[in-house]
Amino acid sequence: MTSLMLRTTTLGRITAGAAVGTLLLLSPAPFAAATPSSGAPAGTPAPATAALTCGTDVNPNALTHPETITSTRIGRATVSLRDGRRGGHLYLWARITGARRGDTVRLDWSDPGPGGRRHRCSATVHSGSDQHTVAAAYVQNGSSYRQFRACGHHGGATRCTRWAP
């Protein structure tokens, strides 16, 4: 893992490969109950539920310069928050590696500004050991910006990366 560094996208980087997968959405649930992991991004009020939108349905395999921003281990699996570019825009997604059939990976993100909504997009491992979600666009509105984290469920445990950027 690396610390965040300023660059044109304001996100830190570690180079890594890409994965393929199938998208499945979770049913609505209170956001706070999603994981026992760290809380909301700084300055973001917690809404009652998370929106089920998965952003722009951008396939991470179609993005250039894929890199890992942050990751965490869950037993033998690793869940990572990744980013890549397309058409001059930055997109982020969640990936799980070293997983087993039935494990899940989820991307959580918050919209910028006061009262910004939270969103969630999830995918399940059906075969192999890698899976990713679709990608959501990085958005900045003045000094406020979207914050993202990746969460994974493996071996009966759920863990999330820190919020980034």
Side-chain angles (χ1 to χ4, degrees):
M1 258 188 268
T2 67
S3 61
L4 294 177
M5 298 180 300
L6 288 180
R7 144 178 163 176
T8 56
T9 62
T10 70
L11 298 174
R13 311 285 187 233
I14 300 172
T15 303
V20 295
T22 305
L23 169 72
L24 296 175
L25 297 177
L26 291 175
S27 61
F31 191 76
T35 71
S37 182
S38 63
T44 304
T49 59
L52 291 177
T53 58
C54 280
T56 55
D57 291 335
V58 172
N59 182 341
N61 293 317
L63 301 174
T64 61
H65 309 293
E67 298 177 321
T68 297
I69 298 167
T70 185
S71 62
T72 190
R73 302 269 311 164
I74 313 167
R76 293 184 177 172
T78 301
V79 65
S80 302
L81 178 63
R82 304 196 23 93
D83 73 4
R85 295 189 161 278
R86 183 177 83 177
H89 297 283
L90 185 67
Y91 295 87
L92 289 92
W93 69 95
R95 177 183 178 198
I96 192 168
T97 58
R100 294 185 301 243
R101 184 176 186 201
D103 288 349
T104 59
V105 62
R106 185 181 81 226
L107 177 68
D108 295 341
W109 74 95
S110 66
D111 286 333
R117 293 189 69 191
R118 291 213 200 139
H119 305 270
R120 172 185 304 166
C121 191
S122 181
T124 301
V125 177
H126 294 288
S127 64
S129 61
D130 296 355
Q131 183 65 51
H132 66 75
T133 65
V134 296
Y138 176 81
V139 174
Q140 187 169 3
N141 182 7
S143 63
S144 185
Y145 47 86
R146 277 187 173 164
Q147 291 186 304
F148 295 81
R149 74 177 178 181
C151 300
H153 185 79
H154 170 76
T158 300
R159 281 201 72 180
C160 296
T161 65
R162 63 180 165 72
W163 287 94

